[in-house]
Amino acid sequence: MEIETLKKAVKIIQNSEEFAAFIPEVRSNIVMAKENAKDVNDVAGIPGRITTVHGKPRSFMDPEFGVSSHMARLVLSVMKHDSSKRSAMNIIYDPKIISLCEKLGLKVSFYDRRDEPKDIMKVEGGTIPWGVEASIKKINDVPDVIYHKGAWGKEPSISLIGSDAIDIAKMAVCIARLSSKQEDYKVLFAPQTEKSASKIPDVTCIFCAMAKGDPEASKNVIYNDGEDMVVLNIYPYNRGHILVVPTKHYTDLTELDLESLKNLFKTVQKTIHLIRETIKPDGVNIGINLGEAAGQNIKHIHIHMVPRFKSETTFIGTTANTRVIKENLDDTYNKYMEKIEILR
């Protein structure tokens, strides 16, 4: 599985001309470890690393296990603190990239190679595990980004860290495109959506499956009174994005009778209170998409409720129409459940 995931990740990287400028002098490598990896032989990477040819990123060999040293040791060190973080990639160091990562809401930390203890320097391969530990200690958490500014004979570097190689590749390409200031480029950057998307059950209508209590589909249901549901959106436009959905299958708003409409919008009203108490936004967007041309992807009426924040205006202007989700979906769900009495 790790090999196939890396192949897909490399394809994403090779399709991004912007990423070529992010490859350092030592070249880039992207790695992914097995679950419960013990040593570098349990970590797959790219033999010969990723280089540039005619201004484009290129890899000339398929991924293999045991071919990486530096990035493998970094991932193994990270996994001691968070076993789900099994992938990493190194890119060129630039203060502007660090600034952009911080604007994107990524957890950023660093280590200073000048502070490395002398006894660690004497140990072959000891610098990276020490650097990871120092970076984690600085923020008391596992970073998404670790960097160092180099030392005598050592090139500065940034390492991107994530759950799998595809997430890392998309993260790297996203940062590269934003750094290139392509103002017309729009991207939803939310690492959690890839993980969530793979969990969608194979059903005719996801909302009907939720209403019937399908164990797999119902995981994101916050509230269900038998007539209407409040559901966490697994493809959030913003942190705390939720949906209000009738349990009965309606394809258009005109199909609801007056009483059903009344109950639906009573739930919408209560959900506004839930969002305000839980997420504490500066505003809330409420919207319904009717028809494919209007953006309706699921043929079952649902009302989008999106928390909005004043700080978004500055953020979007800085990063070229980019929307960023900073919060894990499970964390959002748990926060809403703590305030569930508002809906009841």
Side-chain angles (χ1 to χ4, degrees), residues 251-307:
T251 60
D252 194 277
L253 200 62
T254 59
E255 296 173 12
L256 282 75
D257 59 37
L258 191 58
E259 190 63 25
S260 297
L261 277 172
K262 180 180 176 181
N263 291 331
L264 179 64
F265 281 93
K266 273 187 178 180
T267 304
V268 168
Q269 189 178 55
K270 289 190 288 184
T271 304
I272 293 171
H273 291 301
L274 176 67
I275 291 173
R276 286 175 175 165
E277 284 294 316
T278 308
I279 306 298
K280 302 188 185 306
D282 300 308
V284 180
N285 280 137
I286 301 172
I288 306 173
N289 301 328
L290 300 178
E292 187 175 344
Q296 184 181 15
N297 296 317
I298 301 175
K299 306 305 181 185
H300 184 135
I301 285 294
H302 52 284
I303 301 175
H304 291 266
M305 306 192 66
V306 186

Side-chain angles (χ1 to χ4, degrees), residues 58-343:
R58 285 291 177 266
S59 169
F60 294 98
M61 297 186 70
D62 286 337
E64 296 177 20
F65 282 100
V67 297
S68 170
S69 174
H70 288 72
M71 297 311 297
R73 280 184 275 120
L74 184 143
V75 165
L76 291 169
S77 299
V78 167
M79 288 179 69
K80 291 178 181 178
H81 297 269
D82 185 343
S83 60
S84 71
K85 306 290 187 182
R86 297 194 288 132
S87 188
M89 182 178 194
N90 67 307
I91 61 175
I92 194 170
Y93 170 78
D94 187 322
K96 293 179 181 178
I97 297 175
I98 297 300
S99 177
L100 179 56
C101 288
E102 290 172 340
K103 287 185 173 73
L104 287 170
L106 298 172
K107 290 178 285 187
V108 178
S109 191
F110 71 97
Y111 61 94
D112 190 333
R113 297 188 68 141
R114 296 173 298 180
D115 295 335
E116 185 179 356
K118 290 184 178 180
D119 59 328
I120 298 294
M121 292 181 184
K122 295 177 183 178
V123 178
E124 179 66 26
T127 299
I128 289 177
W130 168 81
V132 169
E133 294 297 324
S135 301
I136 291 173
K137 188 176 180 180
K138 271 188 172 66
I139 65 171
N140 196 31
D141 200 356
V142 175
D144 302 306
V145 180
I146 294 177
Y147 72 92
H148 68 82
K149 296 183 179 180
W152 179 258
K154 302 293 183 181
E155 185 180 9
S157 178
I158 295 174
S159 296
L160 306 177
I161 300 163
S163 59
D164 68 47
I166 292 174
D167 277 350
I168 293 296
K170 289 184 176 181
M171 183 193 302
V173 168
C174 172
I175 294 169
R177 286 174 174 169
L178 294 175
S179 295
S180 69
K181 296 182 180 179
Q182 292 188 18
E183 299 300 330
D184 60 340
Y185 183 79
K186 299 179 181 180
V187 60
L188 172 65
F189 179 68
Q192 292 299 324
T193 60
E194 286 300 317
K195 191 179 294 184
S196 301
S198 64
K199 297 180 181 179
I200 295 176
D202 184 16
V203 293
T204 304
C205 174
I206 184 67
F207 293 139
C208 287
M210 289 178 177
K212 292 174 183 176
D214 183 301
E216 189 68 20
S218 300
K219 290 180 179 179
N220 295 297
V221 176
I222 297 168
Y223 172 78
N224 184 346
D225 64 10
E227 188 162 2
D228 298 300
M229 303 182 294
V230 178
V231 178
L232 188 68
N233 191 335
I234 64 170
Y235 295 102
Y237 181 78
N238 224 346
R239 180 170 64 91
H241 182 172
I242 50 183
L243 309 170
V244 177
V245 189
T247 56
K248 185 176 178 180
H249 188 90
Y250 298 104
T251 60
D252 194 277
L253 200 62
T254 59
E255 296 173 12
L256 282 75
D257 59 37
L258 191 58
E259 190 63 25
S260 297
L261 277 172
K262 180 180 176 181
N263 291 331
L264 179 64
F265 281 93
K266 273 187 178 180
T267 304
V268 168
Q269 189 178 55
K270 289 190 288 184
T271 304
I272 293 171
H273 291 301
L274 176 67
I275 291 173
R276 286 175 175 165
E277 284 294 316
T278 308
I279 306 298
K280 302 188 185 306
D282 300 308
V284 180
N285 280 137
I286 301 172
I288 306 173
N289 301 328
L290 300 178
E292 187 175 344
Q296 184 181 15
N297 296 317
I298 301 175
K299 306 305 181 185
H300 184 135
I301 285 294
H302 52 284
I303 301 175
H304 291 266
M305 306 192 66
V306 186
R308 303 304 298 265
F309 305 88
K310 290 179 181 177
S311 59
E312 292 174 29
T313 302
T314 301
F315 175 74
I316 291 174
T318 304
T319 57
N321 300 317
T322 301
R323 183 65 52 195
V324 180
I325 313 301
K326 299 181 182 181
E327 186 171 81
N328 182 289
L329 290 174
D330 292 336
D331 292 340
T332 304
Y333 182 88
N334 291 334
K335 287 178 181 179
Y336 277 133
M337 292 306 296
E338 288 174 4
K339 305 281 187 178
I340 193 63
E341 290 302 323
I342 293 173
L343 296 179

